[in-house]
Amino acid sequence: MAVTAVTQPSTSSDRYARHVEHLSLLPQDKNNPEAASTAAVQANFITPRDPVIQTANGGRLPAVPLAEAEELNRLKHAVDNEGSPSKKHGKTNTASTAEQETDGATTMPDHASGQSTKADAPLRSAIPPTKTHPLFPQLPLYGPPTLLRNLQATAFQLSSAVLSLAFLGTIVLGSLFTSIPLLFHHLYLRLTLRNPDARRPFYDEEKRRQRLRKQLARAWKRRRRRPSFSKPDDRDDEARSRHEEEYEPNEGGKDPLICDVGYYARRVGLEVEEFCVQTEDGFILALWHIYNPKEYTRTSSSHRDRDEPIVFPKSYPDDGHASPSQQHPPGSRRYPVLLVHGLLQSAGSYCTNDDDSLAFYLAKSGYDVWLGNNRHGMQPRHQMLSYSDPRMWNWNIRQMGVMDLPALVSRVLSETDFPKLALVCHSQGTTETFVALAKEQRPQLGNKISVFCALAPAVYAGPLIGKMYFKFMRIISPGMFRVIFGIHAFIPFMMTMHRWLPGSLYGALGYRVFSFLFNWSDTRWDRGLRNRFFQFAPVYVSAESMRWWLGRECFASQKCILATREEGRREEEEDEGDAEAMENYFDHGETHQTEEQRGHGAEGRRWRGRNAWYDEQVPPFALWIGGSDELVDGRRLLRRFERGREPHVRVVHQKIIEEYEHLDVIWAMDMIEKVGKEVKEVIWRTASSEARKDCRVPKDCGDLDIWDDSARR
């Protein structure tokens, strides 16, 4: 017994040291002080299924399997408490229990699968078992860099550089090949003295805008040449007619086609400042603030670079910075709006249509507009990790929803001193929001959002997911996916092309490739600005994230972000049963459904909401859906809400725009009329009465009554 009492603490300490070794940033070496400062100390659970490793120097390391995180905390607790059996599991057991109570996902690896979560396992087999959760399987565990691990990572980089480039080349050739018939058709029309563009729905408006841009460019040139005391040229009047005196452009001339949101903001009399936002797992995000330079003073760079990984703290340190609320007297503040972008894009996609850009339109309407970028974007950054470290890229849509979105919302609220903000998202931005708000994820985020405006909501897959190249990515194994696309960035050569090619060539090529992949067209866009649109796409994303979208386990297979294929089939069968029951009722006056299945009364709502994704913390939803969108199925999402499957969801606005495709909700020439104005009004209607008293009234919103939420169930 005496021997046991002496050796047990040593054994626990040894096991803890070994566990720390493969969860730390660097291999632990007693002679290397830097390595000791980056040693793993404990796992912090952001949610019951999202642990983050905290290091000795206060840093954060992302994405470790639950079992590894719980074991680290258990061993630390055992060492701290001298191995006392009554205290062995501590709060990590609570996290495990909470995780098990949410959806019963298995936290331990399935050793029979031939895969491993060990840090020293070969990278190809370092894949967690997909049985852990059908929608969000655990991510691989990549340990600290060693000679073997570096060699393996390099091998994956080399294989993916060749194979992913071959895949991209096939897509480019396919896009060019399918463009040949269209090219010959246009040539035929030209030879027969017909204009192929004349059939475009906004042809006349496109020509008018093109003339206006040329006039503005000439006017800008003349103003640059003319001394400031000279008399203005009358020819500038028409060119300046669209620009209010309040917003005087600080840039102009010919569009250089650059990836710079600030430049395009200055072209319409606005300005942009960038904030650094650190997520709870250590990634550095870019948050852009759009403002009117005539009424707002840019904050100091030291304040904007503040990047503590703290989300919704009780108080913020006073650094002497004058917040936006202090720069405006009561009654003239701007209500905050956060915009989040779609897949393979940056938030600059909201700023490419001059005054008809959604971000600039909302800013000039009277809102305080913030543009949130997800992790990596144009510039991959992490508090501790480098570009070549596989852990830098070990994330998917779950981490974007649970980590990125709360960090962005928290920073905007801290800067504006409001309790809530309006959230506007497009495509993947809606996905991460729908994931984050789910009751099994981070539902308390809903208490910080006054309304969630979803543009082209990406919840259910559309028919496009069945295309050949998407099927290829779905049928290959996770290991082969990594061989082809790597364990770092997804086809980083696209970003290399972005740096090398002229903006006009890159924009034209980008449109052709993405049009071929996603089956959309520029029919409703301003073709004169099309090359500008693709200066902000694509961006850096992880291969792991693309595997979540297109690989065999997750979205492409399940066809939904929060329900399995089996659950989706049951929903469809219930909907078909409802349709059949209604037909029998009108034809024969009878139905074979039970009272619960009919959906009448409280019992019916409870029966239909038995598999609800959201709880009472969910904010109001507003949805704009493209009726011709083949990438996602927005109608099915509306049907889910209409059928009562989400008892707590309140849809304050919904609209199907039949002729719209996936990107038309942000880039169509009539987007402001069909989407932008309604977004502006919905935001103001759902703002609280206290916020409305403290804020300026957005343009043309003075007669809007506050939304009545008394019908909330």
Side-chain angles (χ1 to χ4, degrees):
M1 295 294 293
V3 174
T4 303
V6 172
T7 59
Q8 181 63 33
S10 175
T11 302
S12 297
S13 298
D14 290 343
R15 292 176 60 196
Y16 177 65
R18 287 195 298 269
H19 211 70
V20 164
E21 173 76 24
H22 74 265
L23 293 179
S24 300
L25 175 67
L26 300 172
Q28 294 304 292
D29 184 351
K30 294 181 180 179
N31 298 321
N32 185 355
E34 182 183 359
S37 68
T38 63
V41 175
Q42 65 181 16
N44 297 330
F45 281 79
I46 307 304
T47 75
R49 110 185 11 258
D50 292 287
V52 170
I53 297 299
Q54 181 176 328
T55 61
N57 60 5
R60 306 293 180 96
L61 294 174
V64 295
L66 284 169
E68 297 289 335
E70 291 173 351
E71 180 69 3
L72 176 66
N73 283 2
R74 186 188 70 79
L75 292 172
K76 181 178 186 298
H77 194 73
V79 171
D80 291 345
N81 293 276
E82 299 180 345
S84 173
S86 62
K87 300 179 181 179
K88 192 170 184 180
H89 291 284
K91 74 173 184 177
T92 58
N93 188 49
T94 303
S96 176
T97 302
E99 188 276 334
Q100 292 173 359
E101 288 177 351
T102 55
D103 55 19
T106 303
T107 61
M108 296 303 292
D110 182 2
H111 298 291
S113 66
Q115 297 173 319
S116 174
T117 57
K118 293 183 178 179
D120 56 353
L123 288 184
R124 180 167 178 174
S125 62
I127 304 163
T130 58
K131 295 179 181 178
T132 54
H133 192 280
L135 297 167
F136 303 105
Q138 292 188 40
L139 295 169
L141 173 61
Y142 300 117
T146 62
L147 177 60
L148 177 60
R149 179 52 53 89
N150 290 341
L151 289 175
Q152 291 175 327
T154 301
F156 272 97
Q157 284 182 305
L158 292 175
S159 69
S160 62
V162 175
L163 297 176
S164 67
L165 188 58
F167 178 83
L168 178 62
T170 302
I171 297 298
V172 171
L173 290 176
S175 66
L176 296 177
F177 180 78
T178 55
S179 300
I180 292 176
L182 182 62
L183 176 63
F184 277 103
H185 180 65
H186 279 203
L187 183 59
Y188 169 76
L189 292 177
R190 294 288 186 187
L191 292 175
T192 55
L193 304 180
R194 287 178 289 177
N195 185 354
D197 296 331
R199 295 177 296 175
R200 291 172 60 83
F202 300 105
Y203 176 70
D204 292 336
E205 178 63 14
E206 281 185 279
K207 301 300 288 183
R208 190 188 70 81
R209 292 188 184 186
Q210 185 180 30
R211 289 193 299 270
L212 179 60
R213 284 193 294 270
K214 289 181 178 179
Q215 292 171 359
L216 287 170
R218 287 195 296 267
W220 174 261
K221 236 175 166 181
R222 285 192 292 270
R223 288 199 301 273
R224 292 288 296 240
R225 288 199 304 259
R226 188 174 57 243
S228 58
F229 53 81
S230 299
K231 181 180 178 181
D233 195 324
D234 292 338
R235 291 175 295 177
D236 293 355
D237 292 343
E238 181 183 355
R240 293 170 60 96
S241 61
R242 290 189 63 191
H243 295 271
E244 305 173 32
E245 292 183 3
E246 184 181 359
Y247 302 99
E248 184 177 348
N250 294 313
E251 293 282 3
K254 184 180 179 181
D255 186 357
L257 295 177
I258 56 176
C259 182
D260 184 353
V261 171
Y263 171 80
Y264 292 109
R266 290 189 291 274
R267 286 178 71 99
V268 296
L270 296 169
E271 189 50 272
V272 172
E273 59 180 348
E274 179 175 324
F275 290 75
C276 291
V277 179
Q278 185 178 159
T279 66
E280 290 159 295
D281 55 349
F283 288 91
I284 310 298
L285 313 180
L287 175 65
W288 298 328
H289 179 214
I290 299 177
Y291 62 92
N292 182 356
K294 291 187 176 181
E295 67 175 35
Y296 176 85
T297 302
R298 180 191 291 263
T299 55
S300 66
S301 59
S302 60
H303 175 81
R304 288 185 278 114
D305 291 343
R306 190 189 73 198
D307 58 355
E308 299 91 345
I310 304 172
V311 172
F312 305 123
K314 293 182 179 179
S315 62
Y316 294 90
D318 184 7
D319 59 359
H321 158 69
S323 67
S325 62
Q326 296 171 320
Q327 295 197 35
H328 300 290
S332 67
R333 297 173 64 192
R334 291 170 174 256
Y335 192 73
V337 181
L338 173 63
L339 282 70
V340 181
H341 58 85
L343 178 63
L344 293 171
Q345 292 182 316
S346 75
S349 58
Y350 290 110
C351 305
T352 55
N353 247 338
D354 293 329
D355 279 324
D356 294 304
S357 306
L358 183 58
F360 299 156
Y361 171 76
L362 293 176
K364 291 190 175 185
S365 293
Y367 288 112
D368 190 9
V369 175
W370 299 74
L371 303 174
N373 292 277
N374 285 311
R375 54 188 63 194
H376 290 0
M378 293 292 180
Q379 183 181 2
R381 289 183 291 175
H382 189 273
Q383 179 196 31
M384 304 181 72
L385 300 173
S386 64
Y387 180 97
S388 60
D389 195 319
R391 292 171 291 184
M392 178 80 160
W393 305 91
N394 196 25
W395 47 268
N396 59 34
I397 193 70
R398 179 182 175 78
Q399 286 68 41
M400 295 163 74
V402 172
M403 308 285 185
D404 292 9
L405 187 61
L408 292 169
V409 171
S410 175
R411 187 60 184 270
V412 172
L413 293 181
S414 73
E415 294 297 330
T416 59
D417 197 24
F418 277 89
K420 292 187 178 184
L421 55 73
L423 180 63
V424 181
C425 300
H426 172 246
S427 189
Q428 179 186 259
T430 70
T431 305
E432 64 186 88
T433 304
F434 282 117
V435 168
L437 294 174
K439 58 187 178 184
E440 296 177 353
Q441 312 299 328
R442 207 161 187 176
Q444 64 272 23
L445 179 64
N447 297 320
K448 305 294 184 180
I449 300 171
S450 58
V451 66
F452 169 37
C453 298
L455 313 180
V459 174
Y460 291 99
L464 199 66
I465 203 70
K467 277 203 167 186
M468 177 192 63
Y469 37 83
F470 291 142
K471 282 185 178 179
F472 165 75
M473 302 175 81
R474 191 163 67 247
I475 63 175
I476 60 178
S477 68
M480 186 54 65
F481 192 99
R482 287 173 168 85
V483 169
I484 297 174
F485 298 106
I487 56 176
H488 295 83
F490 181 75
I491 316 183
F493 185 73
M494 294 187 293
M495 300 301 297
T496 304
M497 293 173 62
H498 199 173
R499 292 191 297 269
W500 288 355
L501 296 180
S504 56
L505 178 57
Y506 182 81
L509 188 60
Y511 168 72
R512 289 298 174 194
V513 169
F514 284 100
S515 176
F516 172 74
L517 280 174
F518 301 116
N519 205 30
W520 59 53
S521 70
D522 64 353
T523 302
R524 309 189 70 82
W525 307 351
D526 186 342
R527 188 171 282 178
L529 297 178
R530 192 181 68 186
N531 289 340
R532 184 192 296 180
F533 296 165
F534 289 91
Q535 301 309 308
F536 298 95
V539 298
Y540 285 106
V541 298
S542 70
E544 196 66 40
S545 176
M546 295 303 294
R547 192 175 74 83
W548 185 89
W549 280 109
L550 302 173
R552 64 161 55 171
E553 303 102 334
C554 306
F555 181 73
S557 177
Q558 306 294 346
K559 304 292 192 299
C560 181
I561 65 171
L562 289 171
T564 63
R565 178 178 291 197
E566 290 71 23
E567 292 170 337
R569 286 193 186 122
R570 285 197 296 270
E571 282 187 13
E572 291 177 350
E573 290 172 0
E574 291 171 9
D575 291 343
E576 291 173 1
D578 288 347
E580 182 180 351
M582 292 302 295
E583 184 177 347
N584 289 335
Y585 178 79
F586 286 112
D587 290 346
H588 309 291
E590 61 181 16
T591 176
H592 299 292
Q593 288 186 307
T594 65
E595 185 67 21
E596 289 82 2
Q597 289 172 322
R598 292 191 198 112
H600 299 314
E603 288 299 322
R605 288 196 297 272
R606 278 196 292 270
W607 184 84
R608 289 190 172 279
R610 67 196 184 280
N611 294 319
W613 300 337
Y614 304 105
D615 61 18
E616 66 279 356
Q617 300 178 85
V618 67
F621 289 173
L623 304 102
W624 287 264
I625 293 167
S628 301
D629 189 345
E630 296 185 2
L631 187 59
V632 297
D633 188 352
R635 284 188 171 93
R636 188 171 177 184
L637 178 63
L638 281 182
R639 190 162 65 245
R640 178 179 180 85
F641 296 151
E642 292 167 352
R643 298 278 181 171
R645 291 193 173 92
E646 295 296 338
H648 296 289
V649 169
R650 296 98 69 210
V651 179
V652 298
H653 182 89
Q654 64 182 54
K655 183 177 184 180
I656 298 177
I657 310 172
E658 293 295 341
E659 64 275 17
Y660 267 27
E661 297 174 344
H662 192 67
L663 284 171
D664 291 342
V665 290
I666 59 172
W667 285 348
M669 294 187 67
D670 58 348
M671 179 274 297
I672 295 298
E673 291 296 324
K674 293 193 173 183
V675 178
K677 290 183 177 180
E678 295 174 3
V679 169
K680 176 186 69 176
E681 294 172 358
V682 165
I683 292 173
W684 189 242
R685 286 181 54 221
T686 52
S688 67
S689 56
E690 292 79 9
R692 288 164 67 110
K693 291 177 183 176
D694 203 21
C695 294
R696 67 182 68 181
V697 178
K699 291 181 180 178
D700 303 320
C701 292
D703 297 331
L704 294 179
D705 295 328
I706 193 169
W707 175 62
D708 182 10
D709 196 17
S710 61
R712 179 171 183 164
R713 289 187 283 267

